Amino acid sequence: VLASAPVEVTEGDVVRSVMARQRACRSYRPDPLDDDLVLSLLESATRAPSAQNLQPWEFVVVTDPERRAAIWELAARAWVAFGSARSAPVLSPAMHADVDRGITQGFVGAPVSVVVGADLTRCERATLGSSVFPAVQNLLVAATAHGLGSALTTISAVYGEELGALVGFPERVEAVAVVPLGHPATALGPSRRDPVTDHVHREVHGATW
Ligand SMILES: Cc1cc2nc3c(=O)[nH]c(=O)nc-3n(C[C@H](O)[C@H](O)[C@H](O)COP(=O)(O)O)c2cc1C
């Protein structure tokens, strides 16, 4: 019997594989998440870069079923008012149905919803997104690495004032996203993306790799 040489798995391989598995999960098992685990995911989130290292992110971890329902009711309201119709021409019917199910039923079933805020005393409006969403992406990747489902959603932020009020944000904190977290109800498989070289150019835009 030939002994096969051990294959060295590098940290780079692991990060690449986790990122390739990061997907929007739209249906969850109801099992609660351990507080320590949630806090560790958020600690990874806060390792993100931000302009002037001002760390303008604020995270409210919501587990209360009534508050979760109120949060996702805002998302459903925006989806019914305009999101569904706007998405219909862009999404495949299957994906449109999946997003519809997620917003109207799936996300509210996740045991945790993290409401993400941006403190406008710690970022310019112009850098709000670029200073907060790197942390949100870290959260998604950390959740994936732990086998958890997650999703970046911004639709409820259309009603940002109401969303912020549901979690007690003061006026200086703008609600920008909601990330559900929990164990996925079904396995998602790898993400589908265009070949990287479709979007990478050498030296100048348009020059192929
Ligand atoms: C800014 C932003 C907003 C999003 N909002 C929603 C949303 O409201 N509902 C939803 O189901 N997915 C939402 N998504 C997830 C995208 O649909 C998802 O990332 C994309 O379709 C890729 O699919 P995958 O995650 O399955 O690979 C959002 C993603 C981004 C970046």
Side-chain angles (χ1 to χ4, degrees), residues 102-172:
I103 290 177
T104 58
Q105 305 164 40
F107 294 140
V108 72
V112 170
S113 285
V114 178
V115 179
V116 183
D119 187 330
L120 288 163
T121 63
R122 285 182 280 139
C123 61
E124 305 287 331
R125 192 163 283 282
T127 57
L128 182 158
S130 41
S131 277
V132 170
F133 284 103
V136 175
Q137 176 69 15
N138 276 9
L139 175 60
L140 303 177
V141 172
T144 305
H146 282 83
L148 296 177
S150 60
L152 168 51
T153 76
T154 54
I155 190 165
S156 54
V158 168
Y159 306 115
E161 280 183 23
E162 280 179 77
L163 179 58
L166 285 173
V167 294
F169 278 158
E171 214 176 302
R172 66 176 191 282

Side-chain angles (χ1 to χ4, degrees), residues 22-24 26 95 99 103 107 152-155 191 193:
Q22 193 284 312
R23 297 280 310 274
R26 300 191 177 89
M95 180 154 172
V99 173
I103 290 177
F107 294 140
L152 168 51
T153 76
T154 54
I155 190 165
S191 60
R193 296 291 184 269

Side-chain angles (χ1 to χ4, degrees), residues 6 15 18 32-34 46 49-50 54 64 68-69 74 82 91 93 101 129 145 151 157 169 181 184:
V15 170
V18 171
L33 299 183
D34 187 70
T46 62
S50 59
L54 285 173
D64 175 67
R68 272 169 29 213
L74 290 180
F82 63 89
L91 301 180
R101 261 194 310 275
F169 278 158
L181 292 173

